[in-house]
Amino acid sequence: MPCFDNKKRVVVKIGSSSLAYPETGSLNIRKSRALIEVLADLKNSGKEIVFVTSGAQCVGAAKGGFLKKPQDTPSKQACAAIGQSELMKFYSETFEQYNHKVAQLLLTRDVVSNQTRRTNVINTFNKLFEMNVIPIINANDVVSIKQLDFDENDTLSAIVAKLCKADLLVMMTDVDGLYDGDPENPDSKLIPVVEHITPEIISLAQGSGGTLGSGGMLTKIEAAQIATESGIDTVIVGNRNPKILYELFESENAKCTFFKKQD
Ligand code: GLU
């Protein structure tokens, strides 16, 4: 596993399970604050941080009085609208404590297919980097239609990494990376480096995500494929302690799975 100290523009993606309590869906303030502190500090160290966050639907569902995340599209969209403003308020205030400015970008999949829209987004990213502002991205769930758009944020994070020409994509999740078996089984081993995403690697990524989010290991491997094929090194890392992000940039021993970019 290399040390990523030379990577400057870094996309960090977190899922709903990284920032909300599974029991209630409400924001886990302690965990989210700890992550923002590390991101703010990495920015202070000279990195350009791009933050892709899920969580709008589950945080909005909790705030909107749902006992669990609803399944019908209008309710999901309403919850996303409630939760997104809640999340942005928290991110904006917390980054502000470290003197960092943030901007919200809500994207739909046509940023891939529609050249004008893609150019608009790229121009926005470039201007925000010039202005030293941290872009915070989620899918625009209110205007998106499930199946046709981003219904999980792993793919979105890979597309964002491409659009902003990131040096590294980091996806944080409930497990420390890709295992050669069931991560719950103590005999399974973490795979530290994936040179190529083969059918064997894809078959290891079975199973779905947790109760809060929509993605899982498979969508992360697919995202890693999009990013590495676009020349972007990609890492899947655990979300238990955000200080693991320091280790990625300071040591060669961070516990994670590294997917090598394809030249
Ligand atoms: N845009 C969704 C949200 O913010 C992402 C869902 C997911 O990836 O779990 O809730």
Side-chain angles (χ1 to χ4, degrees):
M1 235 277 308
C3 171
F4 295 108
D5 57 342
N6 62 345
K7 304 286 187 192
K8 183 167 165 71
R9 186 167 295 173
V10 182
V11 175
V12 176
K13 184 260 166 184
I14 59 160
S16 307
S17 60
S18 303
L19 54 78
Y21 283 102
E23 298 81 8
T24 61
S26 292
L27 188 67
N28 183 327
I29 295 172
R30 178 174 46 184
K31 207 167 166 183
S32 306
R33 192 176 287 282
L35 173 68
I36 303 302
E37 182 176 298
V38 172
L39 295 179
D41 200 24
L42 287 173
K43 178 143 175 68
N44 282 352
S45 77
K47 306 276 177 215
E48 283 174 337
I49 300 294
V50 177
F51 183 36
V52 178
T53 173
S54 303
Q57 289 176 29
C58 76
V59 167
K63 193 171 183 182
F66 288 92
L67 294 178
K68 60 181 181 119
K69 200 166 129 181
Q71 290 309 310
D72 66 289
T73 303
S75 303
K76 278 185 175 180
Q77 290 173 316
C79 290
I82 299 168
Q84 184 64 27
S85 55
E86 174 90 352
L87 286 180
M88 282 312 296
K89 178 171 179 279
F90 177 78
Y91 293 145
S92 179
E93 286 174 359
T94 312
F95 274 116
E96 181 61 42
Q97 286 172 9
Y98 301 101
N99 216 18
H100 292 305
K101 294 170 288 222
V102 301
Q104 170 184 257
L105 288 79
L106 298 178
L107 302 183
T108 44
R109 197 178 268 273
D110 53 10
V111 295
V112 179
S113 53
N114 182 311
Q115 201 185 329
T116 309
R117 289 183 172 220
R118 189 169 62 244
T119 305
N120 287 337
V121 175
I122 291 171
N123 290 344
T124 307
F125 271 123
N126 289 340
K127 186 53 77 177
L128 289 170
F129 291 132
E130 231 179 86
M131 295 166 72
N132 206 22
V133 172
I134 299 173
I136 301 184
I137 294 100
N138 197 351
N140 192 344
D141 291 333
V142 169
V143 301
S144 67
I145 302 164
K146 197 174 170 348
Q147 308 295 329
L148 294 181
D149 226 288
F150 297 117
D151 56 359
E152 42 74 28
N153 275 3
D154 297 322
T155 313
L156 173 64
S157 72
I159 288 167
V160 164
K162 272 177 78 171
L163 289 172
C164 71
K165 292 193 169 29
D167 301 310
L168 183 69
L169 167 62
V170 180
M171 288 180 273
M172 302 188 81
T173 187
D174 297 342
V175 286
D176 293 320
L178 180 67
Y179 281 79
D180 64 1
D182 180 354
E184 304 275 306
N185 182 338
D187 292 334
S188 299
K189 292 200 173 44
L190 184 71
I191 300 173
V193 180
V194 173
E195 302 271 347
H196 298 284
I197 300 178
T198 59
E200 287 75 29
I201 290 292
I202 292 171
S203 71
L204 291 174
Q206 274 145 4
S208 60
T211 48
L212 296 177
S214 310
M217 191 49 80
L218 191 55
T219 56
K220 284 178 185 59
I221 303 293
E222 286 165 0
Q225 192 150 26
I226 295 172
T228 54
E229 281 174 1
S230 309
I232 301 166
D233 281 329
T234 300
V235 170
I236 298 178
V237 70
N239 62 19
R240 262 190 323 276
N241 182 353
K243 294 202 168 117
I244 183 84
L245 294 177
Y246 289 129
E247 285 179 43
L248 288 178
F249 301 110
E250 289 168 7
S251 88
E252 296 179 357
N253 304 317
K255 201 173 179 191
C256 66
T257 301
F258 164 47
F259 298 80
K260 268 193 183 168
K261 69 178 176 190
Q262 306 300 299
D263 298 313

